[in-house]
Amino acid sequence: MKIAGTGSYLPEKVLSNADLEKLVETTDDWITSRTGIKERRIAAADEATSHMATKAAERAMEAAGVKAEDIDLIIVATITPDTFFPSTACHVQRNLGAIRAVAFDISAACAGFLYAMQIARHFINSGNRKTALIIGADKLSGITNWTDRNTCVLFGDGAGAAILTTKTPDDGDPSGLLSSVMASDGRLTDILSVPGGGSAIPITPDNAHLRLNTINMQGKEVFKAAVKNTCEACEAAISRAGLTSDDIAVLIPHQANVRIVDAIRERLRMPPEKAFLNLHKYGNTSGAAVAIALDEAVRTGVVKKGDNILLVAFGAGFAWAASVVRW
Ligand code: ACO
């Protein structure tokens, strides 16, 4: 399996740290020093997750030279689906006219795009499917509590996509997925969640004021779990690829917090210039973050043909994943 093309989409509206200073008791200095985030994008009220996902998909299809009728698998990783059902993937399928595909969503929060990549890889390597469209897309602004300074400064909206295709053994192309690690730990479900709005705690007129349908996070616990688990996953993915961290040209991490990225990088003994960061522009876009970063790194020439790149993400669940890809 190889990545034949990538694409991304960010909504136009920019929400800066200065804008947030007017909403909650915070400062640009606090947000920048604790997270590295300077601004984020916010989708329009009528711009659903599937709209952003479709735009990112169209750009990935164009980059890969793939038409809608070529696609036989669509996986959308999202925690902010358009509707409980049908899946956002089916909305995207309709928008694209990709009628040959089987389409479904997965829920793995910020690790979703890498989970989708590994699921698609199994479909492709088994010979079951040939051309997969995987998308990470989230409209977190819709599940953010804009009165909670602990969380509202962190998140943004966006979508990223990739086309994965079958490789023939004799095509002479060394690019492809070299290794993967994916894991989850359900003991940590409570440290990061949207507790209400599902079957466990439906939103009712009596509890609506509690905003249980917005993100609830124990930041320090998430920070610790992210560093521990992603460092181990990166080491395992590099080792399974038969490489050392010196062989990794570019680290494309989940774009949640620059301090988490620094911790991962330092554990892997990688210099700062190897980590691709765009969180200062977009904040944490959950399932979209690694996909958008990958697309930007490719389009700006940071990732070059033949490079080994390390992708890593973590999020609610707790769920995490890492992959080494040769570009
Ligand atoms: N502005 C100003 N002060 C703030 C803000 C803010 N926006 N937010 C919190 N504070 C205050 C707190 O109230 C606290 O004050 P206190 O000491 O008087 O109680 C103080 O700042 C310190 O807060 P801490 O929680 O200690 O700050 P910390 O250094 O841990 O940084 C942060 C908080 C940025 C949230 C960090 O813990 C973090 O990044 N955690 C990981 C979050 C993450 O990566 N989430 C990704 C998953 S997202 C997903 O899966 C959808």
Side-chain angles (χ1 to χ4, degrees):
M1 181 215 94
K2 68 174 182 182
I3 301 177
T6 61
S8 59
Y9 170 79
L10 278 310
E12 271 177 34
K13 185 180 169 189
V14 174
L15 186 72
S16 68
N17 289 351
D19 295 328
L20 281 168
E21 286 176 0
K22 294 174 200 141
L23 283 182
V24 288
E25 200 182 328
T26 191
T27 60
D28 172 46
D29 184 52
W30 191 96
I31 302 169
T32 306
S33 62
R34 298 294 176 116
T35 71
I37 299 165
K38 299 294 285 183
E39 57 188 42
R40 65 290 291 145
R41 299 297 180 91
I42 304 295
D46 61 353
E47 197 169 27
T49 297
S50 69
H51 299 147
M52 297 190 287
T54 302
K55 288 188 169 126
E58 287 168 345
R59 288 170 190 171
M61 289 160 61
E62 191 185 351
V66 159
K67 297 189 179 61
E69 54 269 31
D70 300 329
I71 296 168
D72 51 17
L73 173 64
I74 300 174
I75 306 177
V76 175
T78 186
I79 50 170
T80 50
D82 287 29
T83 48
F84 271 128
F85 67 85
S87 67
T88 300
C90 282
H91 289 290
V92 171
Q93 177 181 32
R94 181 188 57 191
N95 294 346
L96 296 175
I99 50 164
R100 285 185 53 240
V102 60
F104 59 90
D105 288 359
I106 59 157
S107 170
C110 308
F113 181 72
L114 293 184
Y115 267 48
M117 186 183 291
Q118 295 182 35
I119 294 166
R121 168 203 186 200
H122 289 297
F123 273 96
I124 290 174
N125 285 356
S126 69
N128 189 282
R129 291 289 189 273
K130 286 194 169 63
T131 305
L133 166 62
I134 59 166
I135 304 170
D138 271 308
K139 185 175 177 178
L140 293 179
S141 60
I143 57 165
T144 296
N145 179 351
W146 291 103
T147 66
D148 176 13
R149 70 176 183 174
N150 292 292
T151 53
C152 76
V153 301
L154 303 175
F155 303 111
D157 302 333
I163 296 287
L164 312 181
T165 55
T166 314
K167 263 172 65 118
T168 49
D170 52 358
D171 66 3
D173 181 357
S175 68
L177 183 64
L178 301 188
S179 70
S180 293
V181 172
M182 61 193 291
S184 38
D185 184 349
R187 292 172 299 181
L188 299 177
T189 47
D190 291 342
I191 65 172
L192 179 54
S193 67
V194 173
S199 58
I201 310 177
I203 302 302
T204 64
D206 291 340
N207 68 17
H209 66 285
L210 298 173
R211 300 179 202 252
L212 296 172
N213 56 341
T214 59
I215 298 169
N216 184 289
M217 183 178 76
Q218 297 171 32
K220 277 193 195 311
E221 297 311 311
V222 172
F223 195 105
K224 280 189 271 179
V227 171
K228 177 182 182 297
N229 293 316
T230 51
C231 284
E232 289 171 8
C234 286
E235 287 171 343
I238 292 171
S239 152
R240 282 184 201 176
L243 303 174
T244 71
S245 60
D246 291 342
D247 301 317
I248 302 297
V250 188
L251 167 67
I252 301 190
H254 180 43
Q255 308 284 320
N257 186 318
V258 71
R259 292 187 292 141
I260 296 176
V261 177
D262 286 344
I264 298 170
R265 206 179 37 67
E266 280 161 21
R267 167 95 165 249
L268 297 175
R269 290 186 289 279
M270 283 185 181
E273 58 273 17
K274 277 198 181 181
F276 185 83
L277 290 173
N278 61 12
L279 59 84
H280 55 289
K281 294 188 290 184
Y282 308 136
N284 179 353
T285 55
S286 190
V290 167
I292 295 169
L294 174 62
D295 183 49
E296 278 200 2
V298 170
R299 285 176 192 264
T300 55
V302 171
V303 169
K304 299 178 188 64
K305 189 78 189 150
D307 278 351
N308 296 316
I309 60 175
L310 173 61
L311 307 162
V312 63
F314 59 88
F318 217 68
W320 63 98
S323 289
V324 176
V325 173
R326 179 160 300 145
W327 200 254

